[in-house]
């Protein structure tokens, strides 16, 4: 699960990358309201390993980008 906290409404994109920089999933794309949001991340199609999750939010006041490491194990 990816948890997002937004102070104001924003256009949000959450992207999952492998360690070679290839996009392997985009679970969230679109406008979200202010507040807390949760998005399910289906990792069943991903090979075991380390991935990078990047969340980008574009608001009227600017943009914010956060990244986190994701480890998939079987």
């Amino acid at each position: 699960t990816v948890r997002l906290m937004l102070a104001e409404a924003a256009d949000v994109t959450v992207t999952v990358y492998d360690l070679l920089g290839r996009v392997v999933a985009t679970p969230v794309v679109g406008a979200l309201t202010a507040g807390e949001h949760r998005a399910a991340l289906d990792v069943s199609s991903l090979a075991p390993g380390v991935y990078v999750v990047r969340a980008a939010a574009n608001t009227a006041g600017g943009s914010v980008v956060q990244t986190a490491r994701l480890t998939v194990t079987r």
Side-chain angles (χ1 to χ4, degrees):
T1 301
V2 176
R3 190 179 130 226
L4 303 167
M5 287 294 298
L6 300 173
E8 59 184 283
D11 289 324
V12 176
T13 302
V14 176
T15 310
V16 181
Y17 297 90
D18 65 13
L19 290 183
L20 296 176
R22 298 178 295 203
V23 174
V24 295
T26 308
V28 177
V29 175
L32 297 178
T33 59
E36 182 177 351
H37 299 273
R38 294 179 187 268
L41 180 59
D42 181 11
V43 298
S44 63
S45 64
L46 299 179
V50 178
Y51 297 86
V52 175
V53 179
R54 179 182 186 268
N58 295 311
T59 66
S63 62
V64 176
V65 176
Q66 290 190 341
T67 59
R69 188 175 93 177
L70 168 69
T71 303
V72 176
T73 60
R74 299 275 184 252

Coordinates of all heavy atoms in Angstrom, one line a residue:
T1 N 0.8 -1.2 0.0 CA 0.0 0.0 0.0 C 0.9 1.2 0.0 O 1.8 1.3 0.8 CB -0.9 0.0 1.2 OG1 -1.7 -1.2 1.2 CG2 -1.8 1.2 1.2
V2 N 0.5 2.2 -0.8 CA 1.2 3.5 -0.9 C 0.3 4.5 -0.2 O -0.9 4.6 -0.5 CB 1.5 3.9 -2.3 CG1 2.1 5.3 -2.4 CG2 2.3 2.9 -3.1
R3 N 0.8 5.2 0.8 CA 0.1 6.2 1.5 C 0.5 7.6 1.2 O 1.7 7.9 1.2 CB 0.2 6.0 3.0 CG -0.7 6.8 3.9 CD -0.5 6.5 5.3 NE -0.4 7.8 6.0 CZ 0.5 8.2 6.8 NH1 1.4 7.3 7.2 NH2 0.6 9.4 7.3
L4 N -0.4 8.4 0.8 CA -0.1 9.8 0.4 C -0.9 10.8 1.3 O -2.1 10.6 1.6 CB -0.6 10.1 -1.0 CG 0.0 9.1 -2.1 CD1 -0.8 9.3 -3.4 CD2 1.5 9.4 -2.3
M5 N -0.2 11.8 1.8 CA -0.8 12.9 2.6 C -0.7 14.1 1.8 O 0.5 14.6 1.5 CB -0.1 13.0 3.9 CG -0.4 11.9 4.9 SD -2.2 11.9 5.4 CE -2.3 13.5 6.2
L6 N -1.8 14.8 1.4 CA -1.8 16.0 0.6 C -2.3 17.1 1.4 O -3.4 17.0 1.9 CB -2.6 15.8 -0.7 CG -2.1 14.7 -1.6 CD1 -3.1 14.5 -2.8 CD2 -0.7 15.0 -2.2
A7 N -1.6 18.2 1.5 CA -2.1 19.4 2.2 C -3.1 20.2 1.3 O -3.9 20.9 1.9 CB -0.9 20.4 2.4
E8 N -3.0 20.0 0.0 CA -4.0 20.6 -0.9 C -4.2 19.7 -2.1 O -3.5 18.8 -2.3 CB -3.6 22.0 -1.3 CG -2.2 22.0 -2.1 CD -1.8 23.4 -2.4 OE1 -2.3 24.0 -3.4 OE2 -0.9 23.9 -1.7
A9 N -5.3 20.0 -2.8 CA -5.6 19.1 -4.0 C -4.4 19.2 -5.0 O -3.7 20.2 -5.1 CB -6.8 19.7 -4.7
A10 N -4.1 18.1 -5.6 CA -2.9 18.0 -6.5 C -3.1 17.0 -7.6 O -3.9 16.0 -7.4 CB -1.7 17.7 -5.7
D11 N -2.4 17.1 -8.7 CA -2.2 16.1 -9.7 C -1.1 15.2 -9.3 O 0.0 15.7 -9.1 CB -1.9 16.7 -11.1 CG -3.1 17.4 -11.7 OD1 -4.3 17.0 -11.4 OD2 -2.9 18.4 -12.3
V12 N -1.4 13.9 -9.1 CA -0.4 13.0 -8.5 C -0.1 11.9 -9.4 O -1.0 11.3 -10.1 CB -1.0 12.4 -7.1 CG1 0.0 11.4 -6.5 CG2 -1.3 13.5 -6.1
T13 N 1.2 11.5 -9.5 CA 1.6 10.4 -10.2 C 2.6 9.6 -9.3 O 3.5 10.1 -8.7 CB 2.4 10.7 -11.5 OG1 1.6 11.6 -12.3 CG2 2.8 9.5 -12.3
V14 N 2.2 8.3 -9.1 CA 3.1 7.4 -8.3 C 3.6 6.3 -9.4 O 2.8 5.7 -10.0 CB 2.3 6.7 -7.2 CG1 3.2 5.6 -6.5 CG2 1.8 7.7 -6.2
T15 N 4.9 6.3 -9.4 CA 5.6 5.4 -10.4 C 6.6 4.5 -9.7 O 7.2 4.9 -8.8 CB 6.3 6.2 -11.5 OG1 5.5 7.2 -12.0 CG2 6.8 5.3 -12.6
V16 N 6.6 3.2 -10.1 CA 7.6 2.2 -9.5 C 8.6 1.9 -10.6 O 8.2 1.6 -11.8 CB 6.8 0.9 -9.1 CG1 7.8 -0.1 -8.5 CG2 5.7 1.2 -8.1
Y17 N 9.9 2.1 -10.2 CA 11.0 1.8 -11.2 C 11.8 0.6 -10.7 O 12.0 0.5 -9.4 CB 11.9 3.0 -11.2 CG 11.3 4.3 -11.7 CD1 10.7 5.2 -10.9 CD2 11.3 4.6 -13.1 CE1 10.1 6.4 -11.3 CE2 10.8 5.8 -13.5 CZ 10.1 6.6 -12.7 OH 9.6 7.8 -13.1
D18 N 12.4 -0.1 -11.6 CA 13.4 -1.1 -11.2 C 14.7 -0.4 -11.1 O 14.8 0.8 -11.3 CB 13.5 -2.3 -12.2 CG 13.9 -1.9 -13.6 OD1 14.5 -0.8 -13.8 OD2 13.8 -2.8 -14.5
L19 N 15.8 -1.1 -10.7 CA 17.1 -0.4 -10.4 C 17.8 0.0 -11.7 O 18.8 0.7 -11.6 CB 18.0 -1.3 -9.6 CG 17.5 -1.5 -8.1 CD1 18.5 -2.4 -7.3 CD2 17.3 -0.1 -7.4
L20 N 17.3 -0.4 -12.8 CA 17.8 0.1 -14.1 C 17.1 1.3 -14.6 O 17.4 1.8 -15.7 CB 17.7 -1.0 -15.2 CG 18.6 -2.3 -14.9 CD1 18.3 -3.3 -15.9 CD2 20.0 -1.9 -14.8
G21 N 16.1 1.8 -13.8 CA 15.4 3.0 -14.2 C 14.2 2.8 -15.1 O 13.6 3.8 -15.5
R22 N 13.8 1.5 -15.3 CA 12.7 1.2 -16.1 C 11.4 1.3 -15.3 O 11.3 0.8 -14.2 CB 12.8 -0.2 -16.8 CG 14.0 -0.3 -17.7 CD 14.1 -1.7 -18.2 NE 14.4 -2.6 -17.1 CZ 14.9 -3.8 -17.2 NH1 15.3 -4.3 -18.4 NH2 15.1 -4.5 -16.1
V23 N 10.3 1.9 -15.9 CA 9.0 1.9 -15.2 C 8.4 0.5 -15.2 O 8.3 -0.1 -16.3 CB 8.1 2.9 -15.9 CG1 6.7 2.9 -15.3 CG2 8.7 4.3 -15.9
V24 N 8.1 0.0 -14.1 CA 7.4 -1.3 -14.0 C 6.0 -1.2 -13.5 O 5.2 -2.2 -13.7 CB 8.2 -2.2 -13.1 CG1 9.6 -2.5 -13.6 CG2 8.4 -1.7 -11.7
A25 N 5.6 -0.1 -13.0 CA 4.2 0.1 -12.6 C 3.9 1.6 -12.4 O 4.8 2.3 -12.0 CB 3.9 -0.7 -11.3
T26 N 2.6 1.9 -12.6 CA 2.1 3.3 -12.3 C 0.8 3.2 -11.7 O -0.3 3.2 -12.3 CB 2.1 4.1 -13.6 OG1 3.3 4.0 -14.3 CG2 1.8 5.6 -13.3
P27 N 0.8 2.9 -10.3 CA -0.5 2.6 -9.7 C -1.4 3.9 -9.5 O -2.6 3.7 -9.3 CB -0.1 2.1 -8.3 CG 1.3 2.6 -8.1 CD 1.9 2.8 -9.5
V28 N -0.9 5.1 -9.5 CA -1.7 6.3 -9.3 C -1.3 7.3 -10.3 O -0.2 7.7 -10.5 CB -1.5 6.9 -7.9 CG1 -2.3 8.1 -7.7 CG2 -1.8 5.9 -6.8
V29 N -2.4 7.8 -11.0 CA -2.2 8.9 -12.0 C -3.5 9.7 -11.9 O -4.6 9.1 -12.2 CB -2.0 8.4 -13.4 CG1 -1.9 9.6 -14.4 CG2 -0.7 7.6 -13.5
G30 N -3.5 11.0 -11.6 CA -4.7 11.8 -11.6 C -4.8 12.7 -10.5 O -3.9 12.9 -9.6
A31 N -5.9 13.5 -10.5 CA -6.1 14.5 -9.5 C -6.7 13.9 -8.2 O -7.5 13.0 -8.2 CB -7.1 15.5 -10.0
L32 N -6.1 14.3 -7.1 CA -6.6 13.9 -5.7 C -6.9 15.1 -4.9 O -6.2 16.1 -5.0 CB -5.5 13.0 -5.1 CG -5.1 11.7 -5.7 CD1 -3.9 11.0 -4.9 CD2 -6.2 10.8 -5.8
T33 N -7.8 14.9 -4.0 CA -8.2 16.0 -3.1 C -7.2 16.1 -1.9 O -6.4 15.1 -1.7 CB -9.6 15.8 -2.6 OG1 -9.6 14.5 -1.9 CG2 -10.6 15.8 -3.7
A34 N -7.3 17.1 -1.1 CA -6.4 17.2 0.1 C -6.8 16.2 1.0 O -8.0 15.7 1.1 CB -6.6 18.6 0.7
G35 N -5.8 15.7 1.8 CA -6.1 14.7 2.8 C -5.3 13.4 2.6 O -4.3 13.4 1.8
E36 N -5.6 12.4 3.3 CA -4.9 11.1 3.2 C -5.5 10.2 2.1 O -6.7 10.1 2.1 CB -4.9 10.4 4.5 CG -4.1 9.1 4.5 CD -4.1 8.4 5.9 OE1 -4.5 9.0 6.9 OE2 -3.6 7.3 5.9
H37 N -4.7 9.6 1.4 CA -5.1 8.6 0.3 C -4.2 7.4 0.4 O -3.0 7.5 0.7 CB -4.9 9.3 -1.1 CG -5.8 10.5 -1.3 ND1 -7.1 10.4 -1.7 CD2 -5.5 11.8 -1.1 CE1 -7.5 11.7 -1.8 NE2 -6.6 12.5 -1.4
R38 N -4.8 6.3 0.1 CA -4.0 5.0 0.1 C -4.3 4.3 -1.3 O -5.4 4.3 -1.8 CB -4.5 4.1 1.2 CG -4.1 4.6 2.6 CD -4.6 3.6 3.6 NE -4.4 4.2 5.0 CZ -3.3 4.0 5.7 NH1 -2.4 3.2 5.2 NH2 -3.2 4.6 6.9
A39 N -3.3 3.8 -1.9 CA -3.4 3.1 -3.1 C -2.7 1.7 -3.0 O -1.6 1.6 -2.5 CB -2.7 3.9 -4.2
A40 N -3.4 0.7 -3.5 CA -2.9 -0.6 -3.4 C -1.8 -0.8 -4.5 O -2.0 -0.3 -5.6 CB -4.0 -1.7 -3.6
L41 N -0.8 -1.4 -4.2 CA 0.3 -1.7 -5.1 C 0.4 -3.2 -5.3 O 0.8 -3.9 -4.4 CB 1.6 -1.1 -4.6 CG 2.9 -1.2 -5.4 CD1 2.7 -0.6 -6.8 CD2 4.1 -0.6 -4.7
D42 N 0.0 -3.6 -6.5 CA 0.1 -5.1 -6.8 C 1.5 -5.4 -7.2 O 2.0 -5.1 -8.3 CB -0.9 -5.4 -7.9 CG -0.9 -6.9 -8.2 OD1 -0.4 -7.7 -7.5 OD2 -1.6 -7.2 -9.3
V43 N 2.2 -6.2 -6.4 CA 3.6 -6.6 -6.6 C 3.7 -8.0 -7.1 O 4.8 -8.5 -7.3 CB 4.5 -6.4 -5.4 CG1 4.6 -4.9 -5.0 CG2 4.1 -7.2 -4.3
S44 N 2.5 -8.6 -7.4 CA 2.6 -10.0 -7.8 C 3.3 -10.3 -9.1 O 3.8 -11.4 -9.4 CB 1.1 -10.6 -7.8 OG 0.4 -9.9 -8.9
S45 N 3.3 -9.3 -10.0 CA 3.9 -9.4 -11.3 C 5.4 -9.0 -11.3 O 6.1 -9.2 -12.3 CB 3.2 -8.6 -12.3 OG 3.3 -7.2 -12.0
L46 N 5.9 -8.5 -10.1 CA 7.3 -8.0 -10.0 C 8.2 -9.2 -9.5 O 7.8 -9.9 -8.7 CB 7.4 -6.9 -9.0 CG 6.6 -5.6 -9.4 CD1 6.8 -4.5 -8.3 CD2 7.0 -5.1 -10.7
A47 N 9.3 -9.2 -10.1 CA 10.3 -10.2 -9.7 C 10.9 -9.8 -8.3 O 10.9 -8.6 -8.0 CB 11.5 -10.3 -10.7
P48 N 11.3 -10.7 -7.5 CA 11.9 -10.4 -6.2 C 13.1 -9.4 -6.5 O 13.9 -9.6 -7.4 CB 12.4 -11.7 -5.6 CG 11.5 -12.7 -6.3 CD 11.3 -12.2 -7.7
G49 N 13.2 -8.4 -5.6 CA 14.3 -7.5 -5.8 C 14.0 -6.1 -5.2 O 13.0 -6.0 -4.5
V50 N 14.8 -5.1 -5.5 CA 14.6 -3.8 -4.9 C 14.1 -2.9 -6.0 O 14.6 -2.9 -7.2 CB 16.0 -3.3 -4.4 CG1 15.8 -1.8 -3.9 CG2 16.5 -4.2 -3.3
Y51 N 13.2 -2.0 -5.7 CA 12.5 -1.1 -6.6 C 12.5 0.3 -5.9 O 12.7 0.4 -4.7 CB 11.1 -1.5 -6.9 CG 11.1 -2.9 -7.6 CD1 11.1 -4.0 -6.9 CD2 11.1 -2.9 -9.0 CE1 11.1 -5.3 -7.6 CE2 11.0 -4.1 -9.7 CZ 11.0 -5.3 -8.9 OH 11.0 -6.5 -9.6
V52 N 12.3 1.3 -6.7 CA 12.1 2.7 -6.2 C 10.7 3.1 -6.5 O 10.3 3.0 -7.7 CB 13.1 3.6 -6.9 CG1 12.9 5.1 -6.4 CG2 14.6 3.2 -6.5
V53 N 10.0 3.6 -5.5 CA 8.7 4.2 -5.7 C 8.8 5.7 -5.6 O 9.4 6.3 -4.7 CB 7.7 3.7 -4.5 CG1 6.3 4.3 -4.7 CG2 7.7 2.2 -4.5
R54 N 8.3 6.4 -6.7 CA 8.4 7.9 -6.8 C 7.0 8.4 -6.8 O 6.2 8.1 -7.7 CB 9.2 8.2 -8.0 CG 9.3 9.7 -8.3 CD 10.0 10.0 -9.6 NE 10.3 11.4 -9.8 CZ 9.5 12.2 -10.4 NH1 8.4 11.8 -10.9 NH2 9.9 13.5 -10.6
A55 N 6.7 9.3 -5.9 CA 5.4 10.0 -5.8 C 5.7 11.5 -6.1 O 6.5 12.2 -5.5 CB 4.8 9.9 -4.5
A56 N 5.0 12.0 -7.2 CA 5.1 13.4 -7.6 C 3.8 14.0 -7.5 O 2.8 13.5 -8.1 CB 5.7 13.5 -9.0
A57 N 3.7 15.2 -6.8 CA 2.4 15.9 -6.7 C 2.6 17.3 -7.2 O 3.6 18.0 -6.8 CB 2.0 16.0 -5.2
N58 N 1.8 17.7 -8.2 CA 1.9 19.1 -8.7 C 0.7 19.9 -8.2 O -0.5 19.5 -8.5 CB 1.9 19.0 -10.2 CG 3.1 18.4 -10.8 OD1 4.2 18.7 -10.3 ND2 3.0 17.4 -11.6
T59 N 0.9 21.0 -7.5 CA -0.2 21.8 -7.0 C 0.0 23.2 -7.5 O 1.0 23.5 -8.2 CB -0.1 21.9 -5.4 OG1 1.1 22.6 -5.1 CG2 -0.1 20.5 -4.8
A60 N -1.0 24.1 -7.2 CA -0.9 25.5 -7.6 C 0.3 26.1 -7.0 O 0.9 27.1 -7.6 CB -2.2 26.2 -7.2
G61 N 0.8 25.7 -5.8 CA 1.9 26.3 -5.1 C 3.3 25.7 -5.5 O 4.3 26.1 -5.0
G62 N 3.3 24.7 -6.4 CA 4.6 24.1 -6.8 C 4.4 22.6 -6.9 O 3.4 22.0 -6.9
S63 N 5.6 22.0 -6.9 CA 5.6 20.5 -7.0 C 6.4 19.9 -5.9 O 7.4 20.5 -5.4 CB 6.1 20.1 -8.3 OG 7.4 20.5 -8.5
V64 N 6.1 18.7 -5.5 CA 6.8 17.9 -4.5 C 7.0 16.5 -5.0 O 6.1 15.9 -5.6 CB 5.9 17.9 -3.2 CG1 6.6 17.0 -2.1 CG2 5.6 19.2 -2.6
V65 N 8.2 16.0 -4.8 CA 8.6 14.7 -5.2 C 9.2 13.9 -4.0 O 10.0 14.5 -3.3 CB 9.6 14.7 -6.4 CG1 10.0 13.3 -6.7 CG2 9.0 15.4 -7.6
Q66 N 8.7 12.7 -3.7 CA 9.3 11.9 -2.7 C 9.5 10.5 -3.3 O 8.8 10.0 -4.1 CB 8.3 11.8 -1.5 CG 8.2 13.1 -0.7 CD 7.4 12.8 0.6 OE1 6.7 11.9 0.8 NE2 7.6 13.8 1.5
T67 N 10.6 9.9 -2.8 CA 11.0 8.6 -3.2 C 11.1 7.7 -2.0 O 11.4 8.1 -0.9 CB 12.3 8.5 -4.0 OG1 13.3 9.1 -3.2 CG2 12.1 9.3 -5.3
A68 N 10.9 6.4 -2.2 CA 11.1 5.4 -1.2 C 11.5 4.1 -1.8 O 11.3 3.8 -3.0 CB 9.8 5.1 -0.4
R69 N 12.2 3.3 -1.1 CA 12.7 2.0 -1.5 C 11.7 0.9 -1.2 O 11.0 1.0 -0.2 CB 14.0 1.6 -0.8 CG 14.7 0.4 -1.4 CD 16.0 0.2 -0.8 NE 15.8 -0.7 0.3 CZ 16.7 -1.2 1.1 NH1 17.9 -0.9 0.9 NH2 16.4 -2.0 2.1
L70 N 11.5 0.0 -2.2 CA 10.5 -1.1 -2.0 C 11.3 -2.4 -2.3 O 12.0 -2.5 -3.3 CB 9.4 -0.9 -3.0 CG 8.5 -2.1 -3.2 CD1 7.6 -2.4 -2.0 CD2 7.6 -1.9 -4.5
T71 N 11.2 -3.3 -1.3 CA 11.8 -4.6 -1.5 C 10.8 -5.7 -1.6 O 9.9 -5.8 -0.8 CB 12.7 -4.9 -0.3 OG1 13.7 -3.9 -0.2 CG2 13.4 -6.3 -0.5
V72 N 10.8 -6.4 -2.8 CA 9.8 -7.5 -3.0 C 10.5 -8.8 -2.7 O 11.6 -9.1 -3.2 CB 9.4 -7.4 -4.5 CG1 8.4 -8.6 -4.8 CG2 8.6 -6.1 -4.8
T73 N 9.9 -9.6 -1.9 CA 10.4 -10.9 -1.5 C 9.4 -12.0 -1.8 O 8.2 -11.7 -1.8 CB 10.9 -11.0 -0.1 OG1 9.8 -10.7 0.8 CG2 12.0 -10.0 0.2
R74 N 9.8 -13.2 -2.0 CA 8.8 -14.3 -2.2 C 9.1 -15.3 -1.1 O 10.1 -15.6 -0.7 CB 9.0 -14.9 -3.5 CG 8.7 -13.9 -4.7 CD 7.2 -13.8 -4.9 NE 7.0 -13.0 -6.1 CZ 6.4 -11.7 -6.0 NH1 6.1 -11.3 -4.8 NH2 6.3 -11.0 -7.0

